[in-house]
Amino acid sequence: MASPEIEALTQALARLPGLGPRSARRAVLHLLKKRDAALGPLREALTAVDERLENCTTCGNVDTTNPCAICADPRRDQRSLCVVEEVADLWALDRSRLFPGRFHVLGGRLSALEGIRPEDLSIDGLVRRIEAGGIDEVVLAMNATLEGQTTAHYIAERIERFPARVTQLAHGLPVGGELDYLDEGTLAQALRARRPMA
């Protein structure tokens, strides 16, 4: 049996996404075995992030600076704005290095079942950013779910009075995907978004 402290660490790690109890125990054993090389640096990194973590008041990203590194980067295209549901979506798109502009995190998506209304998201902040001017394109990068698409349509209606072009991520067949493994929703979207052969 592990001590209460070690058990508490194991349980804390097991609550992280992607880690269950067995993976958490393996991680704890690794940290204990490599105490100087792994446990100390992890503790220092967690403490530093905990002390400095902030929400960016411009876009809603989480970082250790405010504004975040993305909003403060002068090389970013200020005319393009990509709207995402969550910070994880922002990080995924930014990691791809394919979008050169800035971001706006909504903090979720509209959902009648969960009671999430427009005022529960940072949609008003998005409208203010667009209203301030200087944005030529707004990319709605919502997830391809019913709630995500409902959110995208709601935002498109809210910002249609502005001169910015509103675009949406393409949905459909993934590269390397086989038709018999795809769900009906993905197939339906792929058929609706079909285009002429080049």
Side-chain angles (χ1 to χ4, degrees):
M1 293 293 292
S3 70
E5 295 83 4
I6 293 174
E7 189 58 34
L9 175 60
T10 303
Q11 290 177 7
L13 289 176
R15 286 192 290 270
L16 295 175
L19 287 181
R22 290 178 64 189
S23 298
R25 275 193 295 278
R26 281 195 295 272
V28 167
L29 286 171
H30 174 77
L31 290 170
L32 297 177
K33 187 175 180 181
K34 306 281 187 179
R35 187 174 181 176
D36 292 336
L39 187 59
L42 177 62
R43 180 181 54 245
E44 291 169 16
L46 286 171
T47 301
V49 167
D50 184 44
E51 291 172 353
R52 299 184 58 201
L53 191 65
E54 295 191 48
N55 281 79
C56 179
T57 53
T58 304
C59 74
N61 189 14
V62 290
D63 204 341
T64 55
T65 59
N66 185 15
C68 70
I70 293 173
C71 289
D73 187 348
R75 296 169 298 180
R76 291 277 181 170
D77 183 359
Q78 296 186 31
R79 296 166 299 150
S80 297
L81 185 64
C82 183
V83 182
V84 295
E85 293 176 19
E86 301 286 354
V87 171
D89 303 325
L90 183 157
W91 289 4
L93 284 167
D94 192 52
R95 206 171 37 247
S96 75
R97 300 190 186 278
L98 295 173
F99 182 72
R102 305 207 178 204
F103 291 91
H104 186 88
V105 180
L106 295 173
R109 61 186 174 267
L110 297 175
S111 174
L113 290 175
E114 297 173 25
I116 301 173
R117 302 163 309 188
E119 52 270 19
D120 297 323
L121 305 176
S122 67
I123 295 173
D124 289 340
L126 169 65
V127 172
R128 284 192 297 274
R129 286 181 76 181
I130 298 167
E131 195 171 33
I135 295 175
D136 296 336
E137 180 183 17
V138 177
V139 180
L140 299 177
M142 310 294 104
N143 289 316
T145 61
L146 179 62
E147 292 88 357
Q149 296 311 297
T150 300
T151 306
H153 287 293
Y154 178 81
I155 291 171
E157 287 177 6
R158 286 279 308 266
I159 63 176
E160 67 183 352
R161 61 190 163 107
F162 301 111
R165 181 170 57 112
V166 180
T167 60
Q168 188 174 21
L169 292 184
H171 301 291
L173 298 176
V175 174
E178 296 183 30
L179 294 179
D180 60 336
Y181 289 106
L182 299 175
D183 63 275
E184 290 81 12
T186 302
L187 287 171
Q189 181 61 35
L191 283 169
R192 280 194 297 270
R194 64 188 184 274
R195 59 187 190 279
M197 291 284 289

